[in-house]
């Protein structure tokens, strides 16, 4: 028999013996589905349309938004209005079940497959509903059918998701506590965004040179060794460390001294290797931004590399060159030389031809050290701001689950 969860002690004191009733969402919330705006009538300005891609799981992001003109439609658009404080949900696609809190002063409109919750205010606090829905995202995804193409029915959602209803005063106190955590996380994310822009500014500033330094092609200052043979199916639990090209832009940062994957010692004998201070470069990706992402190998032991990677060996500072391969200048170079649709790579021979500035080794080391510290601050999952944000998020989720764990009577 399943044991009911114990109430968080603080909530027990707040309730003071008051009962907590569970009800289906449909009894305490009205729901509005979105409108089928026509793609061919999208405009560059006008009234903003919130699509499923604008819902990021916590909030609504209108940085990439489409617009429409009310004059293009004869339909009454009032039911589809979104105002500050509205809670939205994505109803299909990869974002199915994700919740978004609309925090803008101006009105937007619901696109199809986006829904809006309208809580009955006499029994349900709007932010209390928001925090509760964030705790039910996985359950909502299951209701939608899961799989590659989930599709959420508003009727099923209203029927199958139940919500606990303590007194409004208790809901308000729960909101006060949980909003403190979300506010802190938002402040950290804002700080991270500022630091990222600062990092990009200093990176582009420090790596901008003129005729005062020598300029050479990458192929003139080092050698490229193409990886071979290694596929994900070759990974084993322990053995010789290895890096697969896809891990360079999905897991590793600018440098690494340990690998997350291994191959057998026997298989390692036929694979090409990266040594200490070599750059390991992803030769292919699904997009231009990630192709040629690189990681400096700082481990003492040689490691194996997969096909579709390059090992770049140089007497120059590899960290300095790694940062050069993250600049806007190199991004523009990649755009000019990229080929392929589903799989993106650079035209054969174009990477060794890329021209880089070469200040003294001392200056390269100084620049690399500054940029390494910035990178740690904005990208490190072990010691930078992303780590702090992750800790705050876990703290929020812990207290949210504790505060909303009411037994069903």
């Amino acid at each position: 028999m399943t044991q009911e969860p114990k109430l968080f002690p603080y909530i027990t004191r707040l309730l003071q013996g008051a009962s907590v009733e569970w009800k289906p969402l449909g009894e305490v919330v009205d729901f509005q589905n979105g409108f089928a705006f026509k793609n061919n009538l999208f405009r560059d300005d006008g009234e903003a349309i919130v699509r499923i891609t604008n819902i990021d799981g916590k909030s609504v992001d209108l940085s990439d938004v489409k617009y429409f003109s009310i004059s293009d439609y004869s339909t009454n658009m009032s039911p589809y209005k979104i105002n500050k404080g509205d809670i939205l949900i994505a109803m299909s696609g990869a974002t199915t079940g994700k919740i978004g809190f609309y925090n803008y002063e101006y009105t937007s409109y619901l696109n199809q497959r986006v829904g809006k919750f309208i809580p009955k205010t006499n029994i349900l606090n709007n932010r209390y509903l928001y925090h509760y829905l964030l705790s039910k995202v996985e359950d909502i995804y299951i209701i939608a059918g899961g799989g590659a193409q989930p599709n959420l029915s508003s009727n099923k959602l209203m029927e199958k998701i139940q919500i606990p209803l303590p007194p409004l005063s208790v809901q308000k106190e729960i909101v006060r506590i949980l909003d403190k955590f979300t506010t802190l996380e938002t402040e950290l994310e804002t700080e991270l965004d500022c630091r990222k822009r600062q990092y990009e500014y200093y990176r582009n500033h420090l790596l901008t040179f003129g005729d005062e330094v020598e300029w050479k092609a990458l192929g003139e200052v080092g050698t490229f060794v193409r990886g071979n043979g290694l596929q994900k199916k070759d990974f084993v639990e322990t053995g010789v460390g290895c890096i697969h090209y896809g891990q360079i832009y999905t897991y590793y940062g600018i440098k690494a001294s340990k690998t997350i994957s291994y191959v057998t010692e026997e298989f390692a004998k036929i694979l090409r290797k990266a040594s200490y201070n070599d750059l390991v470069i992803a030769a292919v990706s699904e997009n231009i931004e990630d192709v040629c992402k690189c990681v400096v190998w700082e481990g003492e032991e040689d490691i194996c590399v997969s096909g579709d990677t390059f090992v770049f060996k140089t007497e120059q500072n590899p960290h300095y060159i790694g940062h050069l391969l993250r600049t806007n200048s190199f991004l523009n170079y990649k755009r000019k030389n990229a080929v392929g649709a589903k799989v993106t790579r650079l035209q054969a021979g174009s990477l060794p031809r890329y021209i880089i500035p070469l200040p003294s080794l001392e200056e390269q080391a100084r620049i690399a050290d500054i940029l390494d510290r910035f990178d740690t601050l904005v990208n490190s999952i072990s010691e930078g701001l992303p780590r702090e944000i992750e800790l705050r998020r876990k703290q929020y989720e812990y207290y949210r689950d504790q505060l909303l764990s009411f037994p069903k009577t």
Side-chain angles (χ1 to χ4, degrees):
M1 190 170 78
T2 303
Q3 186 177 5
E4 293 287 1
K6 291 183 179 180
L7 277 174
F8 198 53
Y10 182 57
I11 294 300
T12 303
R13 294 197 298 273
L14 281 177
L15 285 171
Q16 295 180 340
S19 62
V20 177
E21 189 176 7
W22 285 76
K23 288 190 176 184
L25 275 180
E27 292 187 22
V28 295
V29 170
D30 291 324
F31 192 83
Q32 176 65 56
N33 282 297
F35 177 76
F37 290 98
K38 297 177 181 179
N39 290 0
N40 64 329
L41 294 179
F42 284 168
R43 295 172 174 247
D44 293 331
D45 55 30
E47 306 292 338
I49 303 170
V50 173
R51 299 169 294 159
I52 57 176
T53 52
N54 297 122
I55 299 177
D56 68 8
K58 292 185 305 181
S59 59
V60 178
D61 180 6
L62 295 185
S63 59
D64 177 25
V65 68
K66 301 296 183 182
Y67 300 91
F68 80 103
S69 172
I70 291 178
S71 63
D72 289 337
Y73 297 90
S74 59
T75 306
N76 175 20
M77 290 297 175
S78 295
Y80 309 107
K81 283 184 177 181
I82 308 168
N83 297 306
K84 186 173 183 177
D86 282 342
I87 303 168
L88 311 183
I89 184 171
M91 305 290 284
S92 64
T95 58
T96 297
K98 286 190 174 182
I99 305 298
F101 189 85
Y102 190 82
N103 202 29
Y104 297 88
E105 296 294 339
Y106 54 88
T107 298
S108 292
Y109 291 80
L110 289 171
N111 195 28
Q112 61 184 340
R113 307 313 300 150
V114 179
K116 179 176 74 171
F117 296 96
I118 309 168
K120 297 176 181 178
T121 55
N122 60 323
I123 56 175
L124 183 58
N125 181 291
N126 188 58
R127 285 290 291 183
Y128 175 83
L129 172 63
Y130 168 71
H131 289 296
Y132 186 74
L133 289 171
L134 288 180
S135 75
K136 306 302 289 184
V137 169
E138 290 184 8
D139 294 339
I140 294 172
Y141 186 78
I142 292 171
I143 291 171
Q149 295 296 328
N151 198 21
L152 183 60
S153 159
S154 57
N155 289 334
K156 282 187 177 181
L157 175 65
M158 295 292 100
E159 173 190 345
K160 293 186 176 294
I161 295 296
Q162 293 195 333
I163 183 169
L165 294 172
L168 279 171
S169 60
V170 176
Q171 294 181 35
K172 184 177 180 181
E173 178 62 9
I174 290 172
V175 168
R176 184 189 68 80
I177 296 169
L178 295 181
D179 277 355
K180 279 189 174 182
F181 289 113
T182 56
T183 299
L184 177 57
E185 185 179 332
T186 299
E187 289 172 352
L188 287 170
E189 287 173 341
T190 301
E191 174 75 7
L192 177 60
D193 183 62
C194 291
R195 290 293 170 261
K196 282 183 175 179
R197 284 186 271 117
Q198 188 180 36
Y199 172 34
E200 291 173 1
Y201 168 81
Y202 277 105
R203 183 176 61 200
N204 292 323
H205 175 73
L206 289 169
L207 296 175
T208 298
F209 295 93
D211 295 336
E212 74 277 9
V213 300
E214 189 176 19
W215 291 72
K216 286 188 176 182
L218 282 174
E220 295 180 82
V221 298
T223 57
F224 289 90
V225 178
R226 185 68 179 253
N228 67 309
L230 172 63
Q231 300 179 45
K232 289 182 179 179
K233 66 180 179 63
D234 300 313
F235 292 167
V236 295
E237 291 296 323
T238 60
V240 179
C242 64
I243 291 180
H244 186 270
Y245 75 88
Q247 296 170 337
I248 297 174
Y249 47 80
T250 58
Y251 177 81
Y252 292 106
I254 59 172
K255 56 187 175 183
S257 57
K258 295 181 181 179
T259 66
I260 57 171
S261 302
Y262 304 88
V263 294
T264 63
E265 291 187 8
E266 188 63 27
F267 187 49
K269 293 177 182 178
I270 65 171
L271 297 175
R272 297 194 177 102
K273 312 278 192 312
S275 302
Y276 177 77
N277 258 1
D278 284 346
L279 269 173
V280 184
I281 304 172
V284 302
S285 175
E286 295 179 355
N287 56 68
I288 293 175
E289 287 74 17
D290 287 337
V291 70
C292 292
K293 282 279 182 73
C294 57
V295 53
V296 179
W297 176 243
E298 292 188 328
E300 295 180 0
E301 303 293 331
D302 288 358
I303 57 167
C304 304
V305 297
S306 71
D308 286 323
T309 63
F310 293 112
V311 176
F312 184 63
K313 298 176 178 291
T314 181
E315 295 299 318
Q316 303 296 321
N317 187 299
H319 297 275
Y320 168 78
I321 293 177
H323 287 294
L324 284 171
L325 298 186
R326 285 174 166 79
T327 59
N328 291 335
S329 175
F330 185 60
L331 178 60
N332 291 331
Y333 184 81
K334 289 191 292 184
R335 288 183 176 132
K336 293 177 182 177
N337 291 277
V339 294
K342 291 185 177 180
V343 176
T344 302
R345 65 180 74 241
L346 297 191
Q347 294 176 357
S350 60
L351 183 57
R353 291 197 298 269
Y354 182 64
I355 306 295
I356 63 170
L358 291 171
S360 68
L361 288 173
E362 291 77 15
E363 180 64 4
Q364 290 181 32
R366 185 187 74 85
I367 292 171
D369 180 63
I370 294 171
L371 296 179
D372 278 359
R373 282 185 273 132
F374 265 114
D375 185 83
T376 297
L377 177 65
V378 302
N379 292 320
S380 175
I381 59 173
S382 61
E383 53 186 304
L385 280 170
R387 171 64 173 169
E388 182 68 18
I389 291 171
E390 179 64 19
L391 290 174
R392 297 290 75 78
R393 184 172 297 135
K394 288 181 177 179
Q395 189 179 39
Y396 161 75
E397 290 172 354
Y398 170 79
Y399 281 101
R400 182 191 66 199
D401 293 344
Q402 292 291 319
L403 292 167
L404 296 175
S405 293
F406 295 98
K408 290 185 178 180
T409 55

